[in-house]
Amino acid sequence: MTSLHLRGTVLPDGDVRDIWVLGDRLTFQRPSGDVTTVHEGGFILPGLVDSHAHLGHHADTMAFDPELFAAAARQYTGDGTLLLRVPGHREPIPASLREDAAAPRLVTAGPWLAWDGLEDLDDLQTRTSDLTAAGVAQALANDGWCKTYGDWEFDRVKTPESVLRELCDAVHAVNGRVAAHCQTAEGTRAAVLAGVDSIEHAWFLTPDLLDVLAARGGAVTPTWTGFIGHVDNVRTKPEGPRKDWFLGGVESLRTATVDAWEAGVTVLAGTDSLGHGDVVAEIGHLAAAGLPPAAAVGAACWDARRYLGFQGIEEGAPADLVAVTADPRVTPEALRHPSLVLLRGRPAK
Ligand SMILES: [Zn+2]
């Protein structure tokens, strides 16, 4: 059997190494037998990660469509994004999609579960009078995660901290984790204090909350991509509390990015896309907010992988790799043009 060989600067460590691919695994020890060199020079990093993706949903109806999912998944693979966390999907992801060797690895969380006291929800959410039971069931049925809401409308009731705490305690008891949508000061505070693991959107975080989150190894996903394109339009709207809320929330994303990282919170790159998300653009938004470029890449690569329980470039790890010519820690845009993508040990590009 011929094994593939790559040589280059391996990230994040920065050492020049030889990597061989045996089946779907990588090794630093040269195997016996034939070897084909498929990459030499440049930089080799673990596959990219979109930690907040909702691929497979129609933008107008929000209906789940397996064909849309499969198409977006393959686009992700083509650009080197090889791991997706999906915190919200209308229907269970069919096994055929999970087992698609050309699709990224998945961390699913089940439907968008909402405490039934929240008001003005749209069709997206699954209301439940027993959030705890529903969250535990979804964490067990998916990949250890469930998804819920700390809040919805900025001027309506928020999910009580006690409700979120009961959910978190029960999900943690089955070794699961909770991701919560948080776009208000009250909802964000309740979610952090209740024990939510991953704060999604992460508006209006404060330094004291970042310390709480850092102390327990928590994460934030600022999802800049979902908001930044709306700012100019919202600025043209009449003054009022909704406008103040939105602009204040987007303004606060700097806290959820730079201050969070400095406090020791894991920052995750997430596009919040219904289709194929542009992870490199999200890295750009994180860097533009002031995150050092290497940390911005880490948020979409090695740091996200570690947080989600996936290996980087290590002996015996799955061979999910991206190779680029320029150093993405200096120029993240270099990730737009991978010279090689390996998924499960097979060239995807
Ligand atoms: Zn989302």
Side-chain angles (χ1 to χ4, degrees), residues 168-188:
C168 290
D169 289 349
V171 171
H172 293 161
V174 297
N175 293 319
R177 288 189 278 181
V178 177
H181 166 115
C182 296
Q183 285 190 273
T184 66
E186 189 187 339
T188 299

Side-chain angles (χ1 to χ4, degrees), residues 52 54 147 201 272:
H52 193 125
H54 302 294
K147 165 68 178 286
H201 316 307
D272 207 6

Side-chain angles (χ1 to χ4, degrees), residues 321-334:
L321 309 174
V322 174
V324 291
T325 48
D327 189 344
R329 296 169 300 179
V330 178
T331 314
E333 277 290 313

Side-chain angles (χ1 to χ4, degrees), residues 105 139 190 203 269 303 335:
R105 297 176 196 271
W203 287 14
D303 287 336
L335 296 167

Side-chain angles (χ1 to χ4, degrees), residues 36-57:
T36 304
T37 298
V38 290
H39 179 84
E40 203 155 11
F43 296 80
I44 304 168
L45 60 160
L48 300 181
V49 185
D50 189 344
S51 289
H52 193 125
H54 302 294
L55 64 168
H57 294 85

Side-chain angles (χ1 to χ4, degrees), residues 49-53 83-87 200 221 268-271 299 304 308:
V49 185
D50 189 344
S51 289
H52 193 125
L83 171 60
L84 308 174
R85 184 180 60 160
V86 189
E200 306 306 302
T221 320
L268 301 171
T271 66
L308 294 173

Side-chain angles (χ1 to χ4, degrees), residues 98 108-110 132-146 170-171 173-177:
R98 283 191 165 276
T108 65
T132 297
V136 168
Q138 291 303 333
L140 292 173
N142 287 280
D143 300 297
W145 283 88
C146 69
V171 171
V174 297
N175 293 319
R177 288 189 278 181

